[in-house]
Amino acid sequence: DTAVSQTPKYLVTQMGNDKSIKCEQNLGHDTMYWYKQDSKKFLKIMFSYNNKELIINETVPNRFSPKSPDKAHLNLHINSLELGDSAVYFCASSQAAYRNEQFFGPGTRLTVL
Amino acid sequence: AQSVSQHNHHVILSEAASLELGCNYSYGGTVNLFWYVQYPGQHLQLLLKYFSGDPLVKGIKGFEAEFIKSKFSFNLRKPSVQWSDTAEYFCAGFYGNNRLAFGKGNQVVVIP
């Protein structure tokens, strides 16, 4: 009965590789998000989708590409991974886009070697 | 810039001590504020939220927070902490319509 789930939980890869992280929510929410938490635990929004449409696209390298096949799923694909991409990536969802409480997934710890 | 700031990043205290974590926000307009907790190795969980109404908000696990508009503050309190309260605590607030800005967090360690 997990509300927001992410796979994989851990991802270790070499520089230059391409990888994807998947997120699914079973809360029936319309809006989903990707956040990056750096080594100092600082959390920053990366992207947000509302009903499969991109509504937030912060200053993120274009190596990062989100994809939302339906409103219950939001995947994050990262091309040409760099050392600085190492972080914990959290997916979240909310019932609607406007100022709603956000529910977070368990996180994916990405380590780029 | 619109932001949320937290102070005293590292807090160490003994069980049964009282805890207060400060949070200040710097933007005007409609204010929606949150406190999230992240236990070691886990995801963020909502402790409490303020949207409107009573400025003293009760949350889960005995936490409360008070919204003081004149001070632009939303401080988190717990009268008596337990070892299980060891975690990272994040204050967050909306700016714009749906951008949630987080503070840098408070790492709280409770010594048994």
Side-chain angles (χ1 to χ4, degrees):
Chain A
D1 62 343
T2 305
V4 182
S5 58
Q6 295 178 229
T7 53
K9 189 167 184 179
Y10 299 97
L11 186 52
V12 182
T13 188
Q14 301 281 343
M15 269 198 314
N17 284 350
D18 303 338
K19 290 293 177 187
S20 291
I21 307 172
K22 295 186 176 183
C23 178
E24 177 181 0
Q25 54 94 4
N26 63 5
L27 297 167
H29 288 169
D30 284 346
T31 312
M32 295 185 73
Y33 312 80
W34 277 112
Y35 285 86
K36 179 180 181 181
Q37 186 177 45
D38 63 23
S39 58
K40 294 184 179 177
K41 301 280 187 153
F42 184 57
L43 268 157
K44 191 167 184 215
I45 181 80
M46 299 172 71
F47 301 104
S48 177
Y49 271 74
N50 185 56
N51 277 322
K52 302 193 295 174
E53 281 192 42
L54 182 66
I55 57 171
I56 294 177
N57 185 352
E58 292 293 287
T59 310
V60 177
N62 57 15
R63 297 182 295 103
F64 289 78
S65 53
K67 281 190 174 54
S68 182
D70 55 63
K71 70 176 191 176
H73 296 84
L74 180 62
N75 303 325
L76 183 65
H77 188 76
I78 316 170
N79 289 328
S80 304
L81 278 155
E82 299 177 358
L83 293 176
D85 298 332
S86 295
V88 181
Y89 292 85
F90 285 99
C91 178
S93 73
S94 63
Q95 189 162 11
Y98 182 73
R99 293 178 171 249
N100 268 231
E101 175 186 342
Q102 295 180 17
F103 295 79
F104 285 79
T108 296
R109 182 174 293 276
L110 171 65
T111 303
V112 182
L113 303 174
Chain B
Q2 296 158 328
S3 68
V4 174
S5 60
Q6 294 177 243
H7 318 292
N8 302 322
H9 182 66
H10 296 280
V11 177
I12 301 173
L13 59 168
S14 300
E15 274 192 319
S18 63
L19 173 68
E20 179 160 1
L21 302 176
C23 173
N24 290 95
Y25 61 95
S26 67
Y27 49 88
T30 303
V31 175
N32 304 128
L33 296 164
F34 305 82
W35 274 98
Y36 282 88
V37 61
Q38 187 178 23
Y39 297 105
Q42 295 191 28
H43 64 287
L44 279 83
Q45 301 173 42
L46 183 71
L47 274 178
L48 46 80
K49 61 186 176 185
Y50 172 79
F51 273 61
S52 63
D54 190 343
L56 185 60
V57 181
K58 303 281 187 189
I60 60 170
K61 302 177 191 265
F63 285 91
E64 65 178 31
E66 185 174 11
F67 170 63
I68 303 179
K69 190 174 180 179
S70 61
K71 295 184 178 180
F72 296 90
S73 69
F74 188 55
N75 293 355
L76 181 71
R77 297 193 291 254
K78 184 169 183 177
S80 176
V81 294
Q82 300 171 307
W83 174 77
S84 57
D85 292 322
T86 294
E88 191 93 19
Y89 293 81
F90 294 94
C91 184
F94 277 113
Y95 66 98
N97 285 341
N98 55 1
R99 278 170 167 78
L100 193 59
F102 283 84
K104 293 192 175 179
N106 294 106
Q107 188 175 48
V108 174
V109 175
V110 180
I111 301 169

